[in-house]
Amino acid sequence: MSDTDRSHDVVVWGATGVAGRLVAAYLTDRYRPTDLSVALGGRNESRLDTLAADLLDRREGWDDLPVVLGDATDPASLRDIARDTRVVCTTVGPYTRYGTPLVEACIDAGTDYCDLTGEVNWVREMVDRYHDAAVAADARIVHSCGFDSVPADLGTLLVQSFALERHGVPCDAVRIYLESGSGGISGGTLASTAELFEAAATDPLARQALRNPYSLAPPGERSGVDEGMHQRPRRDLLRGEWTAPSPMAATDERIVRRSNALLGYPWGREFRCSEVISTGSGLKGAAGATLLTGGLGLFAAAMSVGPVRNALRRYVFPAPGEGPTEEEAESGNFRVRLLGRGTAPDGRFTVDATVGADLDPGYGATARMLGETAVCLVREDVDSPLDGGVLTPASGIGLPLVERLRDVGFTATVGDAATGNADGA
Ligand SMILES: NC(=O)c1ccc[n+]([C@@H]2O[C@H](COP(=O)([O-])OP(=O)(O)OC[C@H]3O[C@@H](n4cnc5c(N)ncnc54)[C@H](OP(=O)(O)O)[C@@H]3O)[C@@H](O)[C@H]2O)c1
C-alpha cells in the first residue's frame, strides 16, 4: 500500500492513558492539521471521544481529531490501524503484555512505529523475532523513545559524532550521569516495572536478557568488553564525585550498545558505556550514593518477591491510568551529562555533553521525545542508513531528533571538556 493511501500521519495508540494523552496534547499543540494529521487510538470509544472533544476545544486550527478503535489483544484490529497510518506511536504498556501484536501488525503493513518501552526483556524478544522481517518490510520499529533511552542514546551519539568530527576518532568510553531530575510517576510505568520483575522471576530468557550487557546486540554479537552495570556506590574517577547505580542503566546501556552495533560499530568494538546517578563530592556525596544504592536495592529486593510485588501493585502503587496531569508534566526538570574519553594521535581528549529540559522527564519531556520521533519518521527527517529493522533512537533517527528537541526547549550541548569549545544550545 502506498503512503498516500493512508488516512493518518500518526496514530497515538493508547491516547487515553497518562503518557498517550500528553503525546496527543503535545502534537496538536505543536502542529497544525495541515502539517500533521493525527488520530487518537485506543479501546474505549467514549473516553477517546471525550479526549478528542477536549483537545479540539483547546487547539486553534484543529476541527477534527479522528478516533480509531481496536484492542491490543485483537490482531485484526491492529492490522487495520497499522495499514491506515504512516506511523504508530504507542504508549500501550506494559509492552511485554500488550506490545507484540502491534509490532507484528506494523511490520505486516510496512508501517513505522515508535514506543516508550523500558522493558529490556521484551525488546530482546522483538529483536530476535522481528528484526529481519522489519528489515525486509522497510518498517522502522523504534523502541525506547522516551526518558528511557533518548537522553542516553542521543547524548552518546552527540558525544561520538563530535569526537569523530573534531578528533578523527570515537571515544572508547562514554559515561552517562543522571545529574538531577524531578518529576512524577504513573501507574502504567510502575505496572511495566512490575512486569519486568515478574518476567525476571519466571522466564529464563528474560533473566538472560537482564544478565548479558550485550543482550540487545544482533545475535552472534552478544559479547564484548563491558561487564555490566554498576551495582555499588563508587567514587567516579573521571569527575572525582560519588555515584550510585542508575535504575535506568539496564535499558539505557543496552540500547546504546545496540545503536553502536546497528550502525556498524562506528564507535569501535571495544566501546564501553555505563550509566550512573551523580550524588556529589565529599562525605555528603558518599552518604547520598550509599543511601540511594540501599534504597534501590531494597526496592529491587521487594519487587523480586512475588507476593510483595503483587501487594505493592494492589495497595501502594497508583493504578494504571493514574499519574501526572498535563500541568504537572510541564513542571519538573532533568539534566543528563555525558563524558566521553578517547585517544587521538595527538593525545587523550574528553568530550562533555548535556541533555536536559525544564519538564517532568518521564511525562512532559517524554511526550516531546516520543512525539518528535513520530514526526521524524513521518517526514523522513532521519539521519540513518537503516530503512527498516528493530531500531533505537540513535540508529533509527539520529541527530535530527536532537535538533527538533532543541527547537522545543531542550538543552543539548557538546564540546571538548578542556577547552569548553561547545556546539549546540
Ligand atoms: N520511557 C519513559 O520514559 C516512559 C515514560 C512514561 C511511560 N512509559 C511507559 O509507557 C507505558 C504507558 O504508561 P502510562 O502511564 O501512560 O500507562 P496508562 O496510563 O496505564 O495507559 C495505558 C494505555 O494503554 C491502554 N490499554 C490498556 N490495555 C489495552 C488494550 N487491551 N487495548 C488497547 N489499549 C489498551 C489504556 O487504555 P484505557 O484508557 O482504555 O485503559 C491506556 O490508554 C508504560 O509501559 C510505561 O512504562 C515510559
Side-chain angles (χ1 to χ4, degrees), residues 90 92-104 113-130 141-144 195-196 199 203 205-206 209-210 216 390:
T90 172
V92 174
Y95 293 88
T96 308
R97 181 167 298 190
Y98 297 124
T100 305
L102 181 61
V103 168
E104 261 177 24
Y113 160 109
C114 49
D115 72 24
L116 286 185
T117 191
E119 294 156 62
V120 74
N121 55 314
W122 181 72
V123 178
R124 209 294 283 271
E125 191 187 333
M126 297 304 98
V127 168
D128 287 355
R129 286 177 64 182
Y130 299 113
I141 306 298
V142 191
H143 290 305
S144 306
E195 198 75 25
L196 185 63
D203 176 2
L205 278 176
L210 288 163
L216 299 187
V390 175

Side-chain angles (χ1 to χ4, degrees), residues 14 16-19 43 47 71-72 91 116 147-148 186 188-189 192 321 362 366:
T16 53
V18 173
R43 60 178 170 177
R47 294 188 63 203
D71 195 295
T91 61
L116 286 185
F147 192 48
D148 308 70
S186 64
T189 293
S192 298
T366 283

Side-chain angles (χ1 to χ4, degrees), residues 42 68 111 159 209 327 399:
V68 295
T111 300
V159 166
E327 204 175 52
L399 294 177

